[in-house]
């Protein structure tokens, strides 16, 4: 669902908010059109709470009456051709969840993977960075703007990451 610049910006702003204010140490990331990959550590050893805070912060930014920092909410976006369909999907998901009052943006589940060895970590970093290549969006991982792949090549991405020591 994330194809407009302001939607990617919303997610990177939300990740940056959690990095600066909630103790999220981001090591690797990639935002795709329908999902997000992260390798992160919670400073307070509370990854589930931290993910909940990220989802809450982001979803509150996505819905009226709160506008995007760099644009409009989906409901108010005049150029969003998929507005009705996206809002319908979120409303339908929200009806199935007693914890949601109106619309549900994020899925309720995560797919955490324990990173227990250097080989597993390297494999997951490569998998995350190659997602846009596999999807056919770019020919090289570091060409995808919404990823930490450029940081791994010595450049500077749109979101600050931690450097593993």
């Amino acid at each position: 669902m994330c194809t407009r610049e302001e939607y990617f910006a919303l997610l990177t702003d939300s990740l940056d908010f959690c990095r600066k204010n909630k103790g999220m140490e981001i090591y690797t990331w990639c935002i795709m059109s329908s999902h997000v990959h992260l390798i992160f550590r919670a400073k307070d050893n509370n990854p589930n709470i931290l993910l909940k805070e990220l989802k809450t912060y982001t979803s509150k930014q996505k819905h009226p009456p709160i506008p995007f920092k760099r644009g409009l909410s989906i409901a108010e976006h005049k150029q969003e051709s998929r507005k009705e369909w996206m809002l319908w999907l979120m409303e339908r998901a929200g009806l199935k969840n007693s914890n949601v009052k109106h619309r549900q943006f994020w899925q309720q589940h995560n797919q955490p993977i324990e990173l227990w060895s250097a080989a597993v970590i390297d494999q997951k970093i490569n998998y995350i960075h190659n997602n846009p290549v596999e999807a056919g969006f770019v020919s090289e991982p570091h060409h995808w703007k919404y990823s930490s792949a450029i940081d791994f090549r010595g450049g500077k991405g749109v979101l600050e990451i931690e450097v593993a020591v």
Side-chain angles (χ1 to χ4, degrees):
M1 259 202 277
C2 186
T3 56
R4 296 186 178 277
E5 173 65 30
E6 57 263 41
Y7 300 161
F8 284 107
L10 169 85
L11 292 171
T12 55
D13 287 348
S14 296
L15 287 166
D16 196 45
F17 172 82
C18 288
R19 187 183 64 75
K20 290 177 178 172
N21 301 292
K22 299 293 182 176
M24 179 181 271
E25 295 178 349
I26 301 171
Y27 294 92
T28 305
W29 64 281
C30 182
I31 301 172
M32 298 294 289
S33 60
S34 63
H35 62 281
V36 177
H37 291 281
L38 285 173
I39 295 179
F40 76 97
R41 185 177 87 79
K43 285 182 184 176
D44 294 333
N45 202 24
N46 60 348
N48 290 335
I49 292 170
L50 191 51
L51 281 177
K52 181 181 179 196
E53 289 177 351
L54 171 68
K55 289 178 175 185
T56 299
Y57 182 83
T58 305
S59 62
K60 285 182 179 178
Q61 300 301 310
K62 273 231 174 274
H63 302 298
I66 302 169
F68 285 127
K69 291 180 183 175
R70 298 183 191 164
L72 301 170
S73 69
I74 291 171
E76 298 165 339
H77 202 297
K78 292 181 182 0
Q79 295 177 324
E80 181 53 75
S81 60
R82 304 160 305 155
K83 177 182 359 186
E84 273 62 15
W85 173 74
M86 290 180 358
L87 294 174
W88 175 79
L89 281 175
M90 289 185 270
E91 286 169 7
R92 190 172 135 207
L95 289 172
K96 295 177 184 178
N97 186 340
S98 62
N99 295 332
V100 176
K101 293 180 183 162
H102 191 49
R103 296 181 183 122
Q104 180 175 326
F105 175 70
W106 292 98
Q107 291 181 349
Q108 289 297 104
H109 65 280
N110 304 306
Q111 296 178 344
I113 298 170
E114 184 177 357
L115 303 178
W116 48 273
S117 74
V120 170
I121 292 168
D122 288 343
Q123 189 270 331
K124 296 306 174 193
I125 290 170
N126 289 331
Y127 172 80
I128 289 169
H129 287 161
N130 278 303
N131 249 230
V133 176
E134 294 295 322
F137 296 147
V138 292
S139 58
E140 295 290 332
H142 62 278
H143 293 162
W144 187 245
K145 180 178 178 180
Y146 304 102
S147 163
S148 56
I150 187 70
D151 297 284
F152 281 69
R153 295 271 313 241
K156 179 83 171 105
V158 297
L159 182 63
E160 189 174 326
I161 64 168
E162 301 292 326
V163 177
V165 195

